[in-house]
Amino acid sequence: MRRLAGLLVVPLLLLSTAACGDDKASDSASKSEVPAITAGTKFGEKPTLSKGAGDPPKKLKTEVISEGDGAKLKNGDAAEVNYLGQAWDSDKPFDNSFDRKQPFGLILGAGQVIPGWEQGLVGQKAGSRVKLTIPPDLAYGEQGQGEDIPPNATLVFVVDVLSGKAVPKTPKGSTVAQDNIDLPKVGDNTDGKAPKVTIPKSDPPKKLVSKYVIESDGEAVKESDTVVVNYEAYVWKGAKKFDSTYDSGQVASFPLAQITVKGLKSGLVGKKVGSRVLLVMPPDQGFGDQAQQTIPAKSTLVWSVDILTKM
């Protein structure tokens, strides 16, 4: 089952199709060759990097610029970071989150970012500033990425680790009665398995539906949040499943400000973290007149979403 990349405005730091090395040690390249932070040296400040000199290291190089006092990041954690990225032989960044004033959220070990990030951030403490020098085989390899990252580029990132937290496995709260026979029914199990979604054969609603299946007492989700979720997603007609984090075995993170599906954003904003929510999206709240992979045009969509945590 293909995941719907079109749900989000895709961030630059996608998982590379390049081969993944596993050696984190640095080689013999001297420290003086690695691009230095020439301005914005403190945690939280937008950094400026000099241009690299000489041959870049052939292995991942991780340098802790300043160490925080938070918990160490581990695979499976939800992390939120600010970053600036620059190619080794360039003096201009190709991307940074400081200017957007929108931190970047990711799940470590979920394949959401290039391997050099996955390897370099595990074990770093929240509150730390880290500089990562990433060889091509742990970045974008021979294909590069767009116009700004050429093939076989070594990349240098300054990363501020703002926060990190473990992701709960299941929702937790009170079960809410589902007594409307014209709406789908969603299972209220909290055993980590996908809930059963039963869609009626009647006509779907014409307006967005967002209802609790399990209601927690957590914080309300804001539009500026990045939420970490498990979900099951169906087309109403024929009750055909088109996407599932349970099937993939990996939770998803959604920066709500960048969501392109209206009903997904509108249906989750205001709902409480730790809850399970039923969303029914008419076509104007979903993909509208455009077919999307296995989703026909003008489809009503049904989602069961577990809001596990937020960043």
Side-chain angles (χ1 to χ4, degrees):
M1 179 179 298
R2 294 182 64 191
R3 300 291 296 278
L4 285 176
L7 287 177
L8 300 179
V9 177
V10 182
L12 175 63
L13 296 170
L14 290 175
L15 174 68
S16 172
T17 56
C20 296
D22 60 3
D23 190 342
K24 293 182 66 174
S26 64
D27 61 12
S28 59
S30 65
K31 289 184 178 180
S32 62
E33 295 178 332
V34 176
I37 301 175
T38 58
T41 58
K42 295 181 180 179
F43 180 93
E45 296 178 343
K46 178 186 174 182
T48 300
L49 283 171
S50 64
K51 187 176 180 179
D55 293 332
K58 298 184 184 302
K59 298 178 181 179
L60 175 66
K61 184 178 181 63
T62 302
E63 180 183 354
V64 178
I65 304 301
S66 61
E67 187 174 57
D69 56 6
K72 290 184 177 181
L73 297 179
K74 60 185 183 300
N75 279 329
D77 281 356
E80 192 170 41
V81 304
N82 272 320
Y83 68 89
L84 179 139
Q86 188 168 299
W88 174 273
D89 56 359
S90 174
D91 58 3
K92 294 182 179 180
F94 56 78
D95 190 26
N96 84 90
S97 65
F98 293 92
D99 288 345
R100 291 192 293 271
K101 303 187 185 303
Q102 177 67 49
F104 178 65
L106 69 150
I107 309 298
L108 280 176
Q112 297 176 348
V113 291
I114 55 177
W117 268 50
E118 297 272 24
Q119 296 181 24
L121 291 181
V122 168
Q124 305 300 336
K125 294 181 178 179
S128 296
R129 167 165 284 194
V130 182
K131 183 163 63 177
L132 304 175
T133 304
I134 303 176
D137 66 312
L138 296 179
Y140 296 98
E142 296 179 353
Q143 76 272 23
Q145 179 77 5
E147 297 180 358
D148 295 323
I149 303 178
N152 298 311
T154 294
L155 306 182
V156 182
F157 287 92
V158 177
V159 183
D160 287 353
V161 183
L162 304 179
S163 65
K165 64 178 76 173
V167 178
K169 300 297 184 184
T170 63
K172 184 178 181 180
S174 302
T175 300
V176 177
Q178 302 178 70
D179 49 13
N180 187 335
I181 62 173
D182 294 323
L183 291 179
K185 300 293 186 291
V186 178
D188 58 8
N189 56 299
T190 56
D191 55 3
K193 297 180 180 179
K196 182 179 180 181
V197 178
T198 305
I199 299 174
K201 297 186 182 300
S202 56
D203 290 337
K206 302 297 185 184
K207 295 183 179 181
L208 176 69
V209 173
S210 176
K211 290 184 173 295
Y212 285 114
V213 176
I214 297 173
E215 184 176 3
S216 78
D217 57 1
E219 284 187 69
V221 171
K222 303 186 297 294
E223 187 173 346
S224 59
D225 289 333
T226 293
V227 292
V228 180
V229 300
N230 263 328
Y231 64 82
E232 293 272 283
Y234 290 78
V235 175
W236 181 291
K237 186 176 180 180
K240 183 178 180 180
K241 182 161 64 173
F242 63 85
D243 200 6
S244 169
T245 57
Y246 291 94
D247 291 348
S248 69
Q250 298 285 0
V251 298
S253 58
F254 291 160
L256 291 177
Q258 300 176 37
I259 289 284
T260 59
V261 177
K262 294 179 182 178
L264 190 56
K265 178 192 296 186
S266 299
L268 294 181
V269 169
K271 290 294 188 283
K272 299 173 185 175
V273 173
S275 300
R276 175 172 294 161
V277 179
L278 164 68
L279 301 177
V280 182
M281 306 175 199
D284 66 323
Q285 295 291 309
F287 295 108
D289 294 336
Q290 300 296 317
Q292 182 77 27
Q293 296 181 15
T294 60
I295 304 171
K298 300 182 180 179
S299 288
T300 295
L301 309 180
V302 178
W303 295 63
S304 167
V305 183
D306 292 348
I307 310 170
L308 300 175
T309 190
K310 72 182 182 78
M311 297 182 277

